[in-house]
Amino acid sequence: SNETEYVIQGIWRSLLKLDRAFSTTTSFFALGGNSLQFMRLYHHYTRWFPVCSQFFSFPDLLLNPTVRG
């Protein structure tokens, strides 16, 4: 796990109110996330990673809903 994955896991834990560890290959939806939370997740990504958000879109994220994706 690298620093970016660590930051992303923190965002997921906060958004999903998780207090347990999870694999970087676990789907956002398998952890209990829903479509509204997924929209919020995308918003968090665009704030935390502004340069990267120019290169990926909401559909890209939807196709790969894992920390590693």
Side-chain angles (χ1 to χ4, degrees):
S1 169
N2 62 38
E3 185 178 337
T4 302
E5 289 176 349
Y6 181 78
V7 170
I8 291 170
Q9 282 184 321
I11 293 169
W12 285 32
R13 277 193 196 101
S14 174
L15 194 61
L16 298 174
K17 297 177 179 35
L18 297 174
D19 59 358
R20 60 184 169 90
F22 58 90
S23 169
T24 57
T25 59
T26 303
S27 166
F28 181 83
F29 300 104
L31 293 170
N34 60 44
S35 57
L36 181 57
Q37 290 169 316
F38 200 74
M39 292 289 290
R40 289 183 185 138
L41 176 66
Y42 183 73
H43 173 73
H44 282 290
Y45 281 178
T46 59
R47 269 195 12 225
W48 276 90
F49 310 107
V51 173
C52 294
S53 67
Q54 296 173 9
F55 302 104
F56 73 89
S57 64
F58 184 80
D60 293 332
L61 185 59
L62 196 55
L63 289 173
N64 299 293
T66 67
V67 168
R68 186 142 307 161

Coordinates of all heavy atoms in Angstrom, one line a residue:
S1 N 0.8 -1.2 0.0 CA 0.0 0.0 0.0 C 0.9 1.2 0.0 O 1.8 1.3 0.8 CB -0.9 -0.1 1.2 OG -1.6 1.1 1.4
N2 N 0.6 2.2 -0.9 CA 1.4 3.4 -0.9 C 0.7 4.6 -0.3 O -0.4 4.4 0.2 CB 1.8 3.7 -2.4 CG 0.6 4.0 -3.3 OD1 -0.4 4.6 -2.8 ND2 0.7 3.6 -4.5
E3 N 1.3 5.7 -0.3 CA 0.8 6.9 0.4 C -0.6 7.3 -0.1 O -1.5 7.7 0.6 CB 1.7 8.0 0.3 CG 1.3 9.3 1.1 CD 2.3 10.4 1.1 OE1 3.5 10.1 0.8 OE2 1.9 11.5 1.3
T4 N -0.7 7.2 -1.5 CA -2.0 7.6 -2.1 C -3.1 6.7 -1.7 O -4.2 7.1 -1.3 CB -1.9 7.6 -3.6 OG1 -0.9 8.5 -4.0 CG2 -3.2 8.0 -4.3
E5 N -2.8 5.4 -1.6 CA -3.8 4.4 -1.2 C -4.2 4.6 0.3 O -5.4 4.5 0.6 CB -3.3 3.0 -1.4 CG -3.3 2.5 -2.8 CD -2.7 1.2 -3.1 OE1 -2.1 0.6 -2.1 OE2 -2.7 0.7 -4.2
Y6 N -3.2 5.0 1.1 CA -3.5 5.3 2.5 C -4.5 6.5 2.6 O -5.4 6.4 3.4 CB -2.2 5.6 3.2 CG -2.4 5.9 4.7 CD1 -2.5 4.8 5.6 CD2 -2.3 7.2 5.2 CE1 -2.7 5.1 6.9 CE2 -2.5 7.4 6.5 CZ -2.7 6.4 7.4 OH -2.8 6.6 8.7
V7 N -4.3 7.5 1.8 CA -5.1 8.7 1.9 C -6.5 8.3 1.4 O -7.6 8.7 2.0 CB -4.6 9.8 1.0 CG1 -5.6 11.0 0.8 CG2 -3.3 10.4 1.6
I8 N -6.6 7.5 0.3 CA -7.9 7.1 -0.2 C -8.6 6.2 0.8 O -9.9 6.4 1.0 CB -7.7 6.3 -1.6 CG1 -7.3 7.3 -2.6 CG2 -9.0 5.7 -2.0 CD1 -6.8 6.7 -3.9
Q9 N -7.9 5.3 1.5 CA -8.6 4.5 2.5 C -9.1 5.4 3.6 O -10.2 5.1 4.1 CB -7.6 3.5 3.1 CG -7.5 2.3 2.1 CD -6.6 1.2 2.7 OE1 -5.6 1.5 3.4 NE2 -7.0 0.0 2.5
G10 N -8.4 6.4 4.0 CA -8.9 7.4 5.0 C -10.2 8.1 4.6 O -11.1 8.2 5.4
I11 N -10.3 8.5 3.3 CA -11.5 9.1 2.8 C -12.6 8.1 2.8 O -13.7 8.5 3.3 CB -11.2 9.6 1.3 CG1 -10.2 10.7 1.3 CG2 -12.6 10.0 0.7 CD1 -9.7 11.1 -0.1
W12 N -12.4 6.9 2.4 CA -13.4 5.9 2.4 C -13.9 5.6 3.9 O -15.1 5.5 4.1 CB -12.9 4.6 1.8 CG -12.8 4.6 0.3 CD1 -12.5 5.6 -0.5 CD2 -13.0 3.4 -0.5 NE1 -12.5 5.2 -1.8 CE2 -12.8 3.9 -1.8 CE3 -13.3 2.1 -0.3 CZ2 -12.9 3.0 -2.9 CZ3 -13.4 1.2 -1.4 CH2 -13.2 1.7 -2.7
R13 N -12.9 5.5 4.8 CA -13.3 5.2 6.2 C -14.2 6.3 6.7 O -15.2 6.1 7.4 CB -12.1 5.1 7.1 CG -11.5 3.7 7.0 CD -10.4 3.5 8.1 NE -9.6 2.4 7.8 CZ -8.4 2.5 7.3 NH1 -7.8 3.6 7.1 NH2 -7.7 1.4 7.1
S14 N -13.8 7.5 6.4 CA -14.6 8.7 6.9 C -16.0 8.7 6.3 O -17.0 8.9 7.0 CB -13.9 10.0 6.6 OG -14.6 11.1 6.9
L15 N -16.1 8.5 5.0 CA -17.3 8.6 4.2 C -18.3 7.5 4.6 O -19.5 7.7 4.8 CB -17.0 8.6 2.7 CG -18.1 8.9 1.8 CD1 -18.6 10.4 2.0 CD2 -17.6 8.8 0.4
L16 N -17.7 6.3 4.8 CA -18.5 5.1 5.1 C -18.6 4.8 6.6 O -19.2 3.8 7.0 CB -18.0 3.9 4.4 CG -18.0 4.0 2.9 CD1 -17.3 2.8 2.2 CD2 -19.4 4.1 2.3
K17 N -18.0 5.6 7.4 CA -18.0 5.5 8.9 C -17.5 4.1 9.2 O -18.1 3.4 10.0 CB -19.3 5.8 9.5 CG -19.8 7.2 9.2 CD -21.1 7.5 9.7 CE -21.6 8.9 9.6 NZ -21.2 9.7 8.4
L18 N -16.3 3.7 8.7 CA -15.7 2.4 8.9 C -14.7 2.5 10.0 O -13.9 3.4 10.0 CB -15.1 1.8 7.6 CG -16.0 1.5 6.5 CD1 -15.2 1.1 5.2 CD2 -17.0 0.4 6.8
D19 N -14.6 1.5 10.9 CA -13.6 1.5 11.9 C -12.7 0.3 11.7 O -11.9 0.0 12.6 CB -14.1 1.6 13.3 CG -15.1 0.5 13.6 OD1 -15.4 -0.3 12.7 OD2 -15.6 0.5 14.7
R20 N -12.8 -0.4 10.6 CA -12.1 -1.7 10.4 C -11.2 -1.5 9.1 O -11.5 -0.7 8.3 CB -13.0 -2.9 10.3 CG -14.0 -2.8 9.2 CD -14.9 -4.0 9.2 NE -16.0 -3.8 8.2 CZ -16.0 -4.1 6.9 NH1 -15.0 -4.7 6.4 NH2 -17.0 -3.9 6.2
A21 N -10.2 -2.3 9.1 CA -9.4 -2.3 7.9 C -10.1 -3.1 6.8 O -10.9 -3.9 7.0 CB -8.0 -3.0 8.2
F22 N -9.7 -2.7 5.5 CA -10.3 -3.4 4.4 C -9.2 -3.5 3.3 O -8.3 -2.7 3.3 CB -11.6 -2.8 3.9 CG -11.4 -1.3 3.5 CD1 -11.1 -0.9 2.2 CD2 -11.6 -0.3 4.5 CE1 -10.9 0.4 1.9 CE2 -11.4 1.0 4.1 CZ -11.1 1.4 2.9
S23 N -9.4 -4.4 2.4 CA -8.4 -4.6 1.3 C -8.5 -3.5 0.3 O -9.6 -3.0 0.0 CB -8.7 -6.0 0.6 OG -8.0 -6.1 -0.6
T24 N -7.5 -3.2 -0.4 CA -7.5 -2.2 -1.4 C -8.2 -2.6 -2.7 O -8.5 -1.9 -3.6 CB -6.1 -1.7 -1.8 OG1 -5.3 -2.9 -2.2 CG2 -5.4 -1.0 -0.6
T25 N -8.5 -3.9 -2.7 CA -9.2 -4.5 -3.8 C -10.7 -4.7 -3.6 O -11.5 -5.2 -4.4 CB -8.6 -5.8 -4.3 OG1 -8.6 -6.8 -3.2 CG2 -7.2 -5.6 -4.8
T26 N -11.2 -4.3 -2.4 CA -12.6 -4.4 -2.0 C -13.4 -3.3 -2.6 O -13.0 -2.1 -2.6 CB -12.8 -4.4 -0.5 OG1 -12.0 -5.4 0.1 CG2 -14.2 -4.6 -0.1
S27 N -14.5 -3.7 -3.2 CA -15.4 -2.7 -3.9 C -16.0 -1.7 -2.8 O -16.4 -2.1 -1.7 CB -16.5 -3.4 -4.6 OG -17.5 -2.5 -5.0
F28 N -16.1 -0.5 -3.2 CA -16.8 0.6 -2.4 C -18.2 0.1 -2.0 O -18.6 0.3 -0.9 CB -16.9 1.9 -3.2 CG -17.5 3.0 -2.5 CD1 -16.7 3.8 -1.6 CD2 -18.8 3.4 -2.7 CE1 -17.3 4.9 -1.0 CE2 -19.4 4.4 -2.1 CZ -18.6 5.2 -1.2
F29 N -18.9 -0.5 -2.9 CA -20.3 -1.0 -2.7 C -20.3 -2.2 -1.8 O -21.2 -2.3 -1.0 CB -21.0 -1.2 -4.0 CG -21.0 0.0 -4.9 CD1 -20.2 0.2 -6.0 CD2 -21.9 1.1 -4.6 CE1 -20.2 1.3 -6.8 CE2 -21.9 2.2 -5.3 CZ -21.1 2.3 -6.4
A30 N -19.3 -3.0 -1.8 CA -19.2 -4.2 -0.9 C -19.0 -3.8 0.5 O -19.4 -4.5 1.4 CB -18.1 -5.1 -1.4
L31 N -18.5 -2.6 0.7 CA -18.2 -2.1 2.0 C -19.5 -1.3 2.6 O -19.4 -0.8 3.7 CB -17.0 -1.1 2.0 CG -15.7 -1.8 1.8 CD1 -14.6 -0.7 1.6 CD2 -15.3 -2.7 3.0
G32 N -20.5 -1.3 1.8 CA -21.8 -0.7 2.3 C -22.1 0.7 1.6 O -23.0 1.3 2.0
G33 N -21.2 1.1 0.7 CA -21.4 2.4 0.0 C -22.6 2.3 -0.9 O -23.0 1.3 -1.4
N34 N -23.2 3.5 -1.1 CA -24.4 3.6 -2.0 C -24.1 4.7 -3.1 O -23.0 5.3 -3.0 CB -25.7 3.9 -1.3 CG -25.6 5.2 -0.5 OD1 -25.1 6.2 -1.0 ND2 -26.1 5.2 0.7
S35 N -25.0 4.9 -4.0 CA -24.7 5.8 -5.1 C -24.5 7.2 -4.7 O -23.7 7.9 -5.3 CB -25.8 5.7 -6.2 OG -27.1 6.0 -5.6
L36 N -25.2 7.7 -3.7 CA -25.1 9.1 -3.2 C -23.7 9.2 -2.6 O -23.0 10.2 -2.8 CB -26.2 9.4 -2.2 CG -26.1 10.8 -1.7 CD1 -26.1 11.9 -2.8 CD2 -27.3 11.1 -0.7
Q37 N -23.3 8.2 -1.8 CA -22.0 8.3 -1.2 C -20.9 8.2 -2.2 O -19.8 8.8 -2.1 CB -21.8 7.2 -0.2 CG -22.6 7.3 1.1 CD -22.7 6.1 1.9 OE1 -22.8 5.0 1.4 NE2 -22.5 6.3 3.2
F38 N -21.1 7.5 -3.3 CA -20.2 7.4 -4.4 C -20.0 8.7 -5.1 O -18.8 9.1 -5.4 CB -20.6 6.3 -5.4 CG -19.5 5.8 -6.2 CD1 -18.6 4.9 -5.7 CD2 -19.4 6.1 -7.6 CE1 -17.5 4.4 -6.5 CE2 -18.4 5.7 -8.4 CZ -17.5 4.8 -7.8
M39 N -21.0 9.5 -5.2 CA -20.9 10.9 -5.8 C -20.1 11.7 -4.8 O -19.3 12.5 -5.3 CB -22.3 11.5 -5.9 CG -23.2 10.8 -7.0 SD -22.6 11.2 -8.7 CE -23.0 12.9 -8.8
R40 N -20.3 11.6 -3.6 CA -19.5 12.3 -2.6 C -18.0 11.9 -2.7 O -17.1 12.8 -2.5 CB -20.0 12.1 -1.2 CG -21.4 12.8 -0.9 CD -21.8 12.6 0.5 NE -23.1 13.2 0.7 CZ -24.1 12.6 1.4 NH1 -23.9 11.4 2.0 NH2 -25.3 13.2 1.5
L41 N -17.8 10.6 -2.9 CA -16.4 10.1 -3.0 C -15.7 10.8 -4.2 O -14.6 11.3 -4.0 CB -16.5 8.6 -3.2 CG -15.1 7.9 -3.4 CD1 -14.2 8.1 -2.2 CD2 -15.3 6.5 -3.8
Y42 N -16.4 10.9 -5.3 CA -15.8 11.5 -6.5 C -15.5 13.0 -6.1 O -14.4 13.5 -6.5 CB -16.8 11.4 -7.7 CG -16.2 12.0 -8.9 CD1 -15.2 11.4 -9.6 CD2 -16.6 13.2 -9.4 CE1 -14.6 11.9 -10.7 CE2 -16.1 13.8 -10.5 CZ -15.1 13.1 -11.2 OH -14.5 13.7 -12.3
H43 N -16.4 13.7 -5.4 CA -16.1 15.0 -5.0 C -14.9 15.1 -4.2 O -14.0 16.0 -4.4 CB -17.3 15.6 -4.3 CG -17.1 17.0 -3.7 ND1 -17.0 18.1 -4.5 CD2 -16.9 17.4 -2.5 CE1 -16.7 19.1 -3.7 NE2 -16.7 18.7 -2.5
H44 N -14.7 14.2 -3.2 CA -13.5 14.2 -2.4 C -12.3 14.0 -3.2 O -11.3 14.7 -3.0 CB -13.6 13.1 -1.3 CG -14.5 13.4 -0.1 ND1 -14.2 14.4 0.8 CD2 -15.7 12.9 0.2 CE1 -15.1 14.5 1.7 NE2 -16.1 13.6 1.4
Y45 N -12.3 13.1 -4.2 CA -11.2 12.8 -5.0 C -10.8 14.1 -5.8 O -9.6 14.4 -5.9 CB -11.5 11.7 -6.0 CG -11.4 10.3 -5.5 CD1 -11.7 9.2 -6.3 CD2 -11.1 10.1 -4.1 CE1 -11.6 7.9 -5.8 CE2 -11.0 8.8 -3.6 CZ -11.3 7.7 -4.5 OH -11.2 6.4 -4.0
T46 N -11.7 14.8 -6.3 CA -11.4 16.0 -7.1 C -10.8 17.1 -6.2 O -10.0 17.9 -6.7 CB -12.6 16.6 -7.8 OG1 -13.7 16.9 -6.9 CG2 -13.1 15.6 -8.9
R47 N -11.1 17.1 -4.9 CA -10.5 18.0 -4.0 C -9.1 17.6 -3.6 O -8.2 18.4 -3.5 CB -11.4 18.2 -2.7 CG -12.4 19.2 -2.8 CD -13.0 19.6 -1.5 NE -12.4 19.1 -0.3 CZ -13.0 18.5 0.7 NH1 -14.3 18.4 0.8 NH2 -12.3 18.0 1.8
W48 N -9.0 16.3 -3.2 CA -7.7 15.8 -2.7 C -6.7 15.7 -3.8 O -5.5 15.8 -3.6 CB -7.9 14.5 -2.0 CG -8.3 14.7 -0.6 CD1 -9.6 14.7 -0.1 CD2 -7.4 14.8 0.6 NE1 -9.6 14.9 1.3 CE2 -8.3 14.9 1.7 CE3 -6.1 14.8 0.7 CZ2 -7.8 15.1 3.0 CZ3 -5.6 14.9 2.0 CH2 -6.4 15.1 3.1
F49 N -7.1 15.3 -5.0 CA -6.2 15.0 -6.1 C -6.6 15.8 -7.4 O -7.0 15.3 -8.4 CB -6.3 13.5 -6.5 CG -6.1 12.6 -5.3 CD1 -7.2 11.9 -4.8 CD2 -4.9 12.5 -4.7 CE1 -7.0 11.1 -3.7 CE2 -4.7 11.6 -3.6 CZ -5.8 11.0 -3.1
P50 N -6.5 17.2 -7.3 CA -7.0 18.0 -8.4 C -6.3 17.7 -9.8 O -7.0 17.8 -10.8 CB -6.7 19.4 -7.9 CG -5.7 19.3 -6.8 CD -5.9 18.0 -6.2
V51 N -5.1 17.4 -9.8 CA -4.4 17.1 -11.0 C -4.9 15.8 -11.6 O -5.2 15.7 -12.8 CB -2.8 17.0 -10.8 CG1 -2.2 16.6 -12.1 CG2 -2.3 18.4 -10.4
C52 N -5.0 14.8 -10.8 CA -5.5 13.5 -11.2 C -7.0 13.6 -11.7 O -7.3 12.8 -12.7 CB -5.4 12.5 -10.1 SG -3.7 12.1 -9.6
S53 N -7.8 14.4 -11.2 CA -9.2 14.5 -11.6 C -9.3 15.0 -13.0 O -10.4 14.8 -13.6 CB -10.0 15.4 -10.6 OG -9.6 16.7 -10.7
Q54 N -8.3 15.5 -13.6 CA -8.3 15.9 -15.0 C -8.2 14.7 -15.9 O -8.6 14.8 -17.1 CB -7.2 16.9 -15.3 CG -7.3 18.2 -14.6 CD -6.0 19.1 -14.8 OE1 -5.2 18.7 -15.6 NE2 -5.9 20.1 -14.1
F55 N -7.7 13.6 -15.4 CA -7.4 12.4 -16.2 C -8.4 11.3 -15.9 O -8.3 10.3 -16.6 CB -6.0 11.9 -15.9 CG -5.0 13.0 -16.2 CD1 -4.3 13.7 -15.2 CD2 -4.7 13.3 -17.5 CE1 -3.4 14.7 -15.5 CE2 -3.8 14.3 -17.8 CZ -3.1 15.0 -16.8
F56 N -9.3 11.4 -15.0 CA -10.3 10.4 -14.8 C -11.7 11.0 -14.5 O -11.8 12.1 -14.0 CB -9.9 9.4 -13.6 CG -10.1 9.9 -12.2 CD1 -11.3 9.8 -11.6 CD2 -9.0 10.5 -11.6 CE1 -11.4 10.3 -10.3 CE2 -9.1 11.0 -10.3 CZ -10.3 10.9 -9.6
S57 N -12.7 10.3 -14.9 CA -14.0 10.8 -14.8 C -14.8 10.0 -13.9 O -14.4 8.9 -13.4 CB -14.7 10.8 -16.2 OG -14.8 9.4 -16.6
F58 N -16.0 10.4 -13.6 CA -16.9 9.7 -12.8 C -17.2 8.3 -13.3 O -17.1 7.3 -12.6 CB -18.3 10.4 -12.6 CG -19.2 9.8 -11.6 CD1 -19.0 9.9 -10.3 CD2 -20.2 9.0 -12.1 CE1 -19.9 9.2 -9.4 CE2 -21.1 8.3 -11.2 CZ -20.9 8.5 -9.9
P59 N -17.4 8.1 -14.6 CA -17.6 6.7 -15.2 C -16.3 5.9 -15.0 O -16.5 4.7 -14.7 CB -17.9 7.0 -16.6 CG -18.5 8.3 -16.7 CD -17.8 9.1 -15.6
D60 N -15.1 6.5 -15.1 CA -13.9 5.7 -14.8 C -13.9 5.2 -13.4 O -13.6 4.0 -13.2 CB -12.7 6.6 -15.0 CG -12.4 7.0 -16.4 OD1 -12.9 6.3 -17.4 OD2 -11.9 8.1 -16.6
L61 N -14.3 6.0 -12.5 CA -14.3 5.6 -11.1 C -15.3 4.5 -10.9 O -15.1 3.6 -10.1 CB -14.6 6.8 -10.2 CG -14.5 6.6 -8.7 CD1 -13.2 6.1 -8.2 CD2 -14.9 7.9 -8.0
L62 N -16.5 4.7 -11.5 CA -17.5 3.7 -11.4 C -17.1 2.3 -11.9 O -17.5 1.3 -11.4 CB -18.8 4.2 -12.1 CG -20.1 3.5 -11.8 CD1 -20.4 3.5 -10.3 CD2 -21.2 4.2 -12.5
L63 N -16.3 2.3 -12.9 CA -15.9 1.0 -13.5 C -14.8 0.3 -12.6 O -14.6 -0.8 -12.7 CB -15.3 1.3 -14.9 CG -16.3 1.6 -16.0 CD1 -15.6 2.0 -17.3 CD2 -17.2 0.4 -16.2
N64 N -14.1 1.1 -11.8 CA -13.1 0.6 -10.9 C -13.3 1.1 -9.5 O -12.5 1.9 -9.0 CB -11.7 1.1 -11.4 CG -11.4 0.5 -12.8 OD1 -11.3 -0.7 -13.0 ND2 -11.4 1.4 -13.7
P65 N -14.4 0.6 -8.8 CA -14.7 1.2 -7.5 C -13.9 0.6 -6.3 O -14.5 0.2 -5.3 CB -16.2 0.9 -7.4 CG -16.3 -0.5 -8.1 CD -15.3 -0.4 -9.2
T66 N -12.6 0.5 -6.5 CA -11.7 0.0 -5.4 C -10.6 1.1 -5.1 O -10.4 1.9 -5.9 CB -11.1 -1.3 -5.8 OG1 -10.1 -1.1 -6.8 CG2 -12.1 -2.4 -6.1
V67 N -10.0 0.9 -4.0 CA -8.9 1.9 -3.6 C -7.8 1.7 -4.7 O -7.3 2.7 -5.2 CB -8.4 1.6 -2.2 CG1 -7.1 2.3 -2.0 CG2 -9.4 1.9 -1.2
R68 N -7.5 0.5 -5.0 CA -6.4 0.2 -6.0 C -6.8 0.6 -7.4 O -6.0 0.9 -8.2 CB -6.0 -1.2 -5.9 CG -4.9 -1.5 -6.8 CD -3.8 -2.4 -6.4 NE -3.3 -2.2 -5.1 CZ -2.7 -3.2 -4.4 NH1 -2.6 -4.4 -5.0 NH2 -2.2 -3.0 -3.2
G69 N -8.1 0.6 -7.7 CA -8.6 0.9 -9.1 C -8.4 2.3 -9.5 O -8.1 2.7 -10.6

